Amino acid sequence: MQLTPISPEILNFDAKAPLVLLCDHASNAVPAEIGDLGVPAAAMQDHIAWDIGAEAVTRRMCEMMGVAGVIQKVSRLVIDVNRDTGQAGLIPEVSDGVRVPANQGLSGAARAARIDAYWRPFHAACESVIDAHQKAGVNPLVVGIHSFTPAMNGAPRPWAIGFLWNRDPRLAQAMIGLVERETGLIVGDNEPYSGKALYYTMQRHGADRGLAQTTIEIRQDLMANEHEIDQWAALLADLLDECMTRPDLITPKVFP
């Protein structure tokens, strides 16, 4: 079984500022070859299919800062590129209690076809962008842009923004300190999720190269319109501009 490969969108490939933005849950699109996932249309507009607002923030930051970015064009319900190919949930059969009928009982060939068509092109694009930076002598900060729901399983999430990390805390801790310095927002340290549990894209493209990295999680109800999107993009751009000048962050270091 073969599927037509879908490459992500690369923004500002030729930019060589020391920052790369990766948006792996940008889209709720389902390729025509996959057909109907069997998920209700309303659910395809919900968080289970994509990180609402993440693409808009990524694009705005790339535009404002002139930095490179990679934007995935396939829903995580088709395949979640923030997971390794053997990791649970790569092709979810159920997401937040919603069954995905088209993902039930997939054959090995069908899984491999999705990996080849949608997962590999995303990670190849990320590698090409970061390789180009390093060949030019630039060690970029690597930042994932995600969003999260204001409540989960009935429990409110108080954080306005969170910064995830696995072994390398440098960029997350720097950004937490800067957000707290500049705003009165409630900031999450490995909240609302932990980078120690799920961090594939950042680990592969940032941490494994020794590049300082973090996944930024923004609460969806706080970026519900263009004005709020612009505010988040401007805030993060200002803070990352400061981080890009810090030798302790732009010097590669691999954390065991």
Side-chain angles (χ1 to χ4, degrees):
M1 179 182 182
Q2 285 190 324
L3 297 169
T4 303
I6 295 179
S7 295
E9 182 178 358
I10 299 177
L11 305 176
N12 300 332
F13 179 84
D14 293 329
K16 295 299 179 287
L19 174 65
V20 173
L21 303 180
L22 306 180
C23 192
D24 47 20
H25 293 159
S27 177
N28 63 347
V30 179
E33 289 178 307
I34 298 295
D36 186 356
L37 291 176
V39 175
M44 289 302 301
Q45 301 301 316
D46 206 352
H47 70 280
I48 66 168
W50 57 339
D51 277 2
I52 298 165
E55 177 185 2
V57 170
T58 304
R59 287 186 182 278
R60 188 73 182 102
M61 290 176 67
C62 287
E63 177 186 337
M64 294 172 64
M65 303 177 76
V67 300
V70 182
I71 293 177
Q72 173 66 328
K73 295 166 70 175
V74 175
S75 171
R76 64 178 165 207
L77 290 183
V78 174
I79 193 163
D80 188 342
V81 295
N82 192 32
R83 297 172 189 262
D84 202 349
T85 55
Q87 200 169 357
L90 176 75
I91 301 176
E93 295 188 1
V94 179
S95 181
D96 198 17
V98 177
R99 289 184 74 255
V100 186
N103 293 352
Q104 306 293 317
L106 285 182
S107 68
R111 292 176 64 86
R114 291 199 197 181
I115 291 168
D116 289 343
Y118 315 131
W119 187 94
R120 295 193 195 284
F122 176 79
H123 290 293
C126 295
E127 286 173 358
S128 71
V129 170
I130 296 170
D131 283 347
H133 279 69
Q134 294 196 295
K135 286 177 182 176
V138 177
N139 292 308
L141 308 178
V142 181
V143 174
I145 305 294
H146 286 229
S147 70
F148 66 96
T149 58
M152 178 63 74
N153 298 324
R157 289 162 151 177
W159 313 280
I161 188 170
F163 296 88
L164 312 189
W165 56 282
N166 183 14
R167 299 185 187 93
D168 175 3
R170 290 177 294 168
L171 186 54
Q173 297 304 316
M175 290 294 287
I176 289 169
L178 291 172
V179 173
E180 290 178 340
R181 183 192 76 187
E182 297 295 330
T183 77
L185 298 173
I186 299 175
V187 185
D189 182 350
N190 262 340
E191 299 286 0
Y193 308 102
S194 174
K196 297 180 181 300
L198 185 60
Y199 204 63
Y200 181 77
T201 297
M202 289 298 101
Q203 186 67 39
R204 174 171 175 170
H205 299 295
D208 286 352
R209 294 175 183 249
L211 302 175
Q213 83 303 138
T214 187
T215 294
I216 300 176
E217 293 272 0
I218 306 170
R219 208 172 73 206
Q220 291 170 1
D221 61 321
L222 300 180
M223 51 176 179
N225 55 56
E226 290 297 323
H227 175 66
E228 291 176 346
I229 293 289
D230 287 346
Q231 286 185 314
W232 279 114
L235 172 65
L236 294 172
D238 284 346
L239 301 186
L240 284 165
D241 273 338
E242 186 169 336
C243 291
M244 287 159 56
T245 67
R246 288 178 45 170
D248 60 318
L249 297 179
I250 59 174
T251 302
K253 180 179 180 180
V254 175
F255 286 69

